Amino acid sequence: MSDLLSDRTRLDRYPARGKHDFETIAAILDEGFFCHVGFVQNGQPYVIPTGYGRDGQSLYIHGSASSRMLNRAGQEIPICVTVTLVDGLVLARSAFHSSVNYRSVVILGNAEKVEGPAKLQALKVIVDQIVPGRWDSLRPVTQREVDETTVLKLDIVEASAKIRSGPPVDDEEDYALPIWAGTLDFAPLSAAPKADARLRAGLPVPDHVRQYRRVRK
Ligand SMILES: Cc1cc2nc3c(=O)[nH]c(=O)nc-3n(C[C@H](O)[C@H](O)[C@H](O)COP(=O)(O)OP(=O)(O)OC[C@H]3O[C@@H](n4cnc5c(N)ncnc54)[C@H](O)[C@@H]3O)c2cc1C
């Protein structure tokens, strides 16, 4: 079990909620599909939301070749990638102890540009992270589309996870108050597929769409 703990990824508050083993971090990353990428340009921090895919110890992000975020992050400057899964609301008897159940990951490192055949594989990883099995059902990408896309790889070697779960933790004297308290869990995402208005007639919903679930692993 590899350990991704460093001085920079050690949690200060509630350290017991922190995890630094690769397996825990990978499980959270695999359940999500969008992240926030933080970087500094001319002294100004930017935090930009975007999609990602994980393959082994690599995290891939992609986008337009003209994207500022990808161009800046691709210059091998330090970046910070954060993934957040919100599992539910923690409704305590006071505002102070009200909270959220969540699992989150922070990864620090320097991203590098992916070129050549590895770029196509990385694009497949990103597409399949969002809907597993989708890539193989799609029209193959063209060289122009590949050229117009920048792909970055960040090694997952310095990272942390933080997990909050369970009921509210109120002050002892507050438990007697006539205030409803508890948790409100968010259901897994699984909406019914809505066919495109211009869908070719007679096409069945494929299994990878019909069976789409984002369930807790
Ligand atoms: C949905 C959500 C809501 C939250 N709401 C609040 C809130 O209202 N108020 C509040 O104070 N905190 C909140 N947190 C927790 C917050 O993310 C930080 O953990 C918190 O500010 C304490 O950080 P720290 O001082 O221990 O760590 P810092 O000193 O800020 O960070 C040190 C290192 O700890 C790691 N780390 C810190 N936080 C996280 C994290 N969440 N996930 C993974 N690694 C982490 C990073 O590697 C970081 O480099 C929330 C978290 C989530 C996911």
Side-chain angles (χ1 to χ4, degrees):
M1 189 156 69
S2 59
D3 193 342
L4 311 185
L5 176 67
S6 71
D7 282 348
R8 303 193 303 177
T9 58
R10 179 172 289 109
L11 275 86
D12 295 326
R13 293 193 59 228
Y14 299 110
R17 292 182 185 170
K19 299 263 183 215
H20 295 85
D21 61 285
F22 181 76
E23 289 71 16
T24 300
I25 286 167
I28 295 170
L29 294 177
D30 289 354
E31 200 175 316
F33 58 85
F34 74 91
C35 62
H36 289 83
V37 179
F39 58 94
V40 175
Q41 186 175 32
N42 300 329
Q44 171 63 53
Y46 296 88
V47 179
I48 305 293
T50 191
Y52 70 88
R54 180 187 81 89
D55 186 21
Q57 247 180 315
S58 301
L59 189 103
Y60 296 103
I61 54 178
H62 81 311
S64 159
S66 61
S67 149
R68 191 245 325 250
M69 182 258 295
L70 289 158
N71 283 325
R72 183 74 183 128
Q75 291 166 16
E76 303 212 12
I77 54 159
I79 63 169
C80 174
V81 171
T82 300
V83 172
T84 309
L85 307 175
V86 178
D87 293 323
L89 304 178
V90 180
L91 306 177
R93 293 161 182 82
S94 65
F96 187 82
H97 290 296
S98 297
S99 189
V100 178
N101 279 335
Y102 62 82
R103 289 160 291 147
S104 54
V105 165
V106 170
I107 309 169
L108 305 178
N110 293 31
E112 61 183 75
K113 272 196 176 147
V114 181
E115 306 284 7
K119 189 172 176 183
L120 202 60
Q121 173 59 23
L123 290 171
K124 176 179 183 335
V125 167
I126 295 167
V127 169
D128 282 348
Q129 174 98 22
I130 300 169
V131 183
R134 186 71 182 157
W135 180 269
D136 287 338
S137 75
L138 297 176
R139 159 181 74 66
V141 290
T142 64
Q143 190 56 48
R144 186 179 57 79
E145 289 169 337
V146 174
D147 293 344
E148 286 179 2
T149 306
T150 295
V151 177
L152 301 183
K153 174 167 88 88
L154 176 66
D155 289 334
I156 308 166
V157 291
E158 186 180 5
S160 55
K162 189 171 180 182
I163 300 171
R164 198 234 181 258
S165 59
V169 181
D170 274 306
D171 292 336
E172 198 46 50
E173 61 274 22
D174 288 350
Y175 281 90
L177 293 173
I179 300 170
W180 191 92
T183 54
L184 205 50
D185 294 344
F186 294 148
L189 171 68
S190 55
K194 225 163 63 181
D196 185 84
R198 295 181 56 181
L199 193 72
R200 228 172 78 171
L203 276 185
V205 180
D207 283 351
H208 70 265
V209 175
R210 199 165 37 81
Q211 295 165 357
Y212 184 85
R213 296 282 184 280
R214 287 210 97 81
V215 289
R216 190 163 181 169
K217 293 179 181 144

